[in-house]
Amino acid sequence: MLIPTTFAALLIAGLSTAVPFTRRDNSTSLSSNSTSSISSNSSLSSNSSSLINDGVILNFALTLEFLETAFYREALQKFSHSDFLKAGFADPIFTDIEQVFVDEQTHVNFLIGALAASNITATVALEYSFPFNDVKTFITIASVLESVGVSAYLGAAGSISDKNTLTAAGAILGIESRHTAVTSAAQGQSPIVNAFETPLGFNEIFTIASVFIVGGSSPVTLPFTAFPPLTPEAPKGGHYKGNSTLTLSKAFANAQSTKSSIDSSTDIFAIFFSGLDKIAVQAHVSHNKKDLKVAVPSTVEGQVYVVLGLSETDFSDSNIVAGPAILEVCLGFLLFSLEQDQKRRTVWLTCCIR
């Protein structure tokens, strides 16, 4: 079932109108007062000659945490406990979502404090648009966003130079992974479908985040660029299975407009990121000369990312043509797909339920 919905830009209300901010009574949890372990480290300096240093990474993380906080704030303003129950989500999911919101706001406060302690300008909350009008859709998107958060922290880990900053990032990653388990369990899905989480690079994560950012301005300019969008078509018959054909709508035509050197003889690959595996599959131009078709690997499961690339072995950003698109594959069936249009304003929610 394909559900296309266009959403106007939404300016998320301030915290003062949201669910009251309370946090666990836990002396080891991260808070805005817990910055001393990473506060005065030279690797956070904004004068670093490296384009991507620890300060940049913390601001990147803060960008994502602001987005997640706004997402949960909006849901808790829109839906009540009874709305969750009526939608078929039994306790304790509502209180779990309240705690997830508290966690995300705590992460925001911690990152702002860490940047301030190092005299680095922090980014600010922007304007967001989230494509949900019911509890079920909200939970589905929450599951995707939390997995993206895990992939973001994991992908950034290799670029963090200070061990204390790395420890703090790991502490946040672990909580984001627990959030994923909460939202997966709420949908009746197993929270463990892969022995490894899936790391993603900065530009891949920035591409996904840009779907939801519709306005606002920040005093911080991050050195990342969104890739062109990649849009999978809804599967015929309602399901994708391993080795079934995935159609990437207008992907070939869009690739040609992005790189003029691409023609019908160019080898183009769909690269599926699943856990620590990166599986390249040859893509073929469809009869309409616009779409690309590719076989879904039979070995992927869980939240899987797919990008288009020009190499079967080199998956660096310079070889990426488009994506990522997000495919949630459970037992060979596609349950969720999130894409964006050329203007990064429209979000399609593709739900293919068994």
Side-chain angles (χ1 to χ4, degrees), residues 181-346:
V182 167
T183 55
S184 295
Q187 298 175 89
Q189 300 174 3
S190 170
I192 307 171
V193 295
N194 197 317
F196 301 95
E197 298 288 1
T198 305
L200 280 184
F202 294 106
N203 289 333
E204 284 87 357
I205 294 295
F206 191 78
T207 300
I208 295 170
S210 69
V211 173
F212 303 100
I213 300 172
V214 296
S217 60
S218 171
V220 175
T221 300
L222 295 172
F224 308 122
T225 304
F227 292 114
L230 185 62
T231 305
E233 286 188 359
K236 293 181 180 179
H239 306 302
Y240 276 125
K241 298 181 180 180
N243 296 320
S244 64
T245 300
L246 170 66
T247 300
L248 301 170
S249 180
K250 299 181 180 179
F252 181 67
N254 292 339
Q256 285 184 305
S257 65
T258 302
K259 290 184 177 290
S260 58
S261 60
I262 294 177
D263 57 32
S264 58
S265 65
T266 304
D267 287 333
I268 302 178
F269 301 90
I271 301 114
F272 294 82
F273 294 7
S274 179
L276 297 179
D277 294 328
K278 296 182 179 180
I279 305 169
V281 181
Q282 180 84 49
H284 302 282
V285 181
S286 65
H287 295 301
N288 65 11
K289 306 299 183 182
K290 296 180 180 180
D291 303 339
L292 287 174
K293 294 184 179 294
V294 62
V296 178
S298 60
T299 56
V300 300
E301 188 175 358
Q303 185 154 309
V304 179
Y305 305 95
V306 57
V307 300
L308 282 188
L310 299 179
S311 173
E312 192 175 10
T313 56
D314 182 357
F315 309 135
S316 59
D317 286 354
S318 60
N319 283 322
I320 301 301
V321 176
I326 305 172
L327 308 178
E328 185 70 33
V329 182
C330 182
L331 299 177
F333 296 97
L334 177 68
L335 298 182
F336 182 82
S337 176
L338 181 67
E339 309 96 33
Q340 59 188 1
D341 71 357
Q342 295 284 357
K343 295 182 179 179
R344 308 185 189 284
R345 289 293 187 272
T346 304

Side-chain angles (χ1 to χ4, degrees), residues 43-66:
S43 66
L44 297 183
S45 172
S46 58
N47 296 320
S48 171
S49 59
S50 173
L51 187 64
I52 301 177
N53 55 45
D54 287 5
V56 169
I57 293 172
L58 289 180
N59 258 315
F60 180 66
L62 181 57
T63 299
L64 302 179
E65 296 293 350
F66 269 131

Side-chain angles (χ1 to χ4, degrees), residues 154-189:
L154 187 58
S159 298
I160 296 175
S161 58
D162 173 59
K163 65 179 182 180
N164 292 317
T165 304
L166 180 60
T167 298
I172 295 175
L173 185 156
I175 296 302
E176 299 292 348
S177 186
R178 290 175 186 243
H179 294 169
T180 300
V182 167
T183 55
S184 295
Q187 298 175 89
Q189 300 174 3

Side-chain angles (χ1 to χ4, degrees), residues 65-130:
E65 296 293 350
F66 269 131
L67 188 155
E68 288 184 306
T69 301
F71 173 72
Y72 287 105
R73 182 186 299 127
E74 180 177 330
L76 290 171
Q77 290 173 339
K78 185 176 292 187
F79 307 124
S80 66
H81 183 199
S82 62
D83 290 328
F84 276 73
L85 295 176
K86 291 176 183 177
F89 294 96
D91 292 333
I93 183 60
F94 183 75
T95 54
D96 284 345
I97 292 300
E98 287 183 315
Q99 185 59 57
V100 170
F101 167 66
V102 171
D103 291 346
E104 303 299 3
Q105 184 65 61
T106 303
H107 296 165
V108 166
N109 293 341
F110 173 78
L111 293 167
I112 290 174
L115 288 162
S118 294
N119 296 316
I120 298 175
T121 300
T123 190
V124 297
L126 301 173
E127 297 176 18
Y128 311 96
S129 178
F130 302 110

